[in-house]
Amino acid sequence: MQSVINSVKGTALSVAEYLTPVLKESKFRETGVLTPEEFVAAGEHLVHHCPTWQWAVGDVDRTKPYLPKDKQFLLTRNVPCTRRCKQIEYCDDLEQIIETDGDPEGGWVDTHHYGVNIGGVEEKVSEMTLGEAQPTNSNVVSSSADDDDEDEEAADMEAFEVSGMLDERDKYTTESVKPNKDKKEAFSEGEIIKTRTYDLHITYDKYYQTPRLWLFGYDENRKPLNVEEMYEDVSQDHAKKTVTMETHPHMPGPPMASVHPCRHAEVMKKIIETVMEGGRELGVHMYLIIFLKFVQSVIPTIEYDYTQNVTLTS
């Protein structure tokens, strides 16, 4: 039933996005949204400091005219995922309400912050040095009018912290990509953990005027994961609600897991305010680096964030 609801909502949002005019005037500091130009600027900063991410072009028939033809979305490949979400034991000590909007029963909740909670990130953000991201070595190889329904509690996203389409997708990237060999982590002699990998995409959502994260997973043999297997790597509070299977806006093929962007602007606005309260300023070019941090709790076992050492200063 939930999949039917999501399908109907997806169709409605496609129509709404088509009718929504392109944002021209910057409202980053006021509301936490981005213009297409600001999305590209933030993407350039991410690619420069985290070269595991690269720009991709997608299907030429699905090119968005408000974005550069060679910079339609961002892509990183072979991101490791060594554990399933059910292996992360949940307890109240790991829960922190991020944004309440005056409602003690609701808000944006981080249930897997593990010391990288929103408060911790806010403190780090207020201490960071703009433009000094330090990418680390990784095994990742890359190319580049849902109104938050009142009956969908999972829209309060926990934050801060296909079919063989791989070859088909490679041709859509701005650079050719050769995936890494299957990653296997040896913990002791004779003990090997078979690691899943994910391809992650960041697109610009014209309706919500924010970035949107997409995921597609593979097992240790590079066989595409099915829908239920991908949901195993999503926080169960968000599976089929905040995270749904939808059609990629730039590419054909089977549905991909997508983190719904309905609360992204609110969280970013909160972060901007926190930085400003500390007497500093968060530049729009840092948007995607911060964005990747606050969606981490939705997919806590997918190890894509290599920007922990990024810092901000005034």
Side-chain angles (χ1 to χ4, degrees):
M1 182 62 181
Q2 186 64 48
S3 61
V4 174
I5 294 174
N6 291 335
S7 178
V8 172
K9 289 180 178 178
T11 302
L13 279 173
S14 296
V15 175
E17 180 176 9
Y18 176 78
L19 299 175
T20 301
V22 177
L23 181 64
K24 299 291 187 181
E25 182 181 351
S26 177
K27 296 183 179 180
F28 168 65
R29 291 181 176 80
E30 295 86 347
T31 61
V33 300
L34 292 177
T35 65
E37 291 77 13
E38 289 172 331
F39 171 75
V40 172
E44 291 286 84
H45 186 77
L46 177 65
V47 168
H48 177 72
H49 290 287
C50 305
T52 54
W53 288 92
Q54 294 183 14
W55 286 106
V57 297
D59 189 332
V60 293
D61 294 332
R62 305 187 186 198
T63 298
K64 308 301 180 183
Y66 46 83
L67 292 169
K69 290 183 179 180
D70 60 341
K71 297 175 181 177
Q72 291 287 297
F73 63 97
L74 292 148
L75 168 65
T76 184
R77 292 196 188 280
N78 289 3
V79 180
C81 179
T82 58
R83 296 180 296 171
R84 309 289 72 78
C85 278
K86 65 183 179 181
Q87 293 177 269
I88 301 178
E89 183 178 358
Y90 174 78
C91 66
D92 291 342
D93 292 340
L94 299 178
E95 177 175 296
Q96 178 173 346
I97 295 178
I98 307 309
E99 175 63 59
T100 64
D101 294 330
D103 180 6
E105 299 296 328
W108 194 297
V109 182
D110 180 3
T111 58
H112 298 89
H113 62 267
Y114 294 105
V116 190
N117 55 54
I118 186 76
V121 174
E122 287 175 345
E123 292 174 2
K124 291 178 181 178
V125 164
S126 65
E127 297 171 355
M128 290 204 301
T129 307
L130 288 174
E132 291 190 3
Q134 299 177 4
T136 62
N137 293 331
S138 73
N139 286 344
V140 180
V141 177
S142 65
S143 143
S144 129
D146 181 3
D147 293 328
D148 189 17
D149 289 355
E150 295 178 358
D151 59 345
E152 268 197 27
E153 296 180 0
D156 295 335
M157 192 197 308
E158 303 169 358
F160 248 71
E161 282 252 35
V162 33
S163 87
M165 292 297 296
L166 179 62
D167 294 336
E168 179 72 12
R169 287 175 176 169
D170 282 346
K171 71 181 182 182
Y172 297 125
T173 61
T174 56
E175 298 183 17
S176 61
V177 178
K178 295 182 179 179
N180 283 350
K181 295 181 179 179
D182 299 336
K183 179 185 176 186
K184 297 183 179 181
E185 244 178 71
F187 285 80
S188 63
E189 187 175 354
E191 181 182 357
I192 296 177
I193 290 185
K194 296 181 179 179
T195 304
R196 290 180 176 180
T197 56
Y198 275 83
D199 293 345
L200 274 58
H201 302 206
I202 302 176
T203 63
Y204 178 77
D205 191 291
K206 179 167 165 273
Y207 179 75
Y208 286 100
Q209 301 168 341
T210 64
R212 182 168 188 169
L213 185 67
W214 301 78
L215 311 95
F216 196 85
Y218 303 86
D219 65 16
E220 63 275 10
N221 297 313
R222 290 299 292 177
K223 178 182 177 182
L225 300 177
N226 61 39
V227 170
E228 292 306 318
E229 287 173 329
M230 282 192 279
Y231 276 136
E232 292 175 352
D233 298 321
V234 173
S235 167
Q236 293 308 293
D237 292 322
H238 305 306
K240 303 181 182 181
K241 297 176 183 178
T242 301
V243 177
T244 56
M245 298 294 164
E246 301 185 36
T247 301
H248 195 285
H250 294 278
M251 293 166 49
M256 297 177 64
S258 177
V259 181
H260 201 278
C262 59
R263 301 296 298 276
H264 291 356
E266 292 179 34
V267 173
M268 183 56 72
K269 182 175 182 292
K270 174 67 174 178
I271 297 168
I272 295 169
E273 291 173 348
T274 300
V275 173
M276 293 180 67
E277 288 171 2
R280 296 174 174 83
E281 186 173 322
L282 178 61
V284 70
H285 63 289
M286 292 293 296
Y287 197 111
L288 290 179
I289 289 178
I290 304 303
F291 165 80
L292 288 171
K293 291 185 180 296
F294 74 68
V295 296
Q296 180 74 78
S297 66
V298 180
I299 45 175
T301 60
I302 300 178
E303 303 165 16
Y304 65 83
D305 188 2
Y306 298 100
T307 65
Q308 287 87 347
N309 293 329
V310 176
T311 51
L312 302 169
T313 60
S314 54

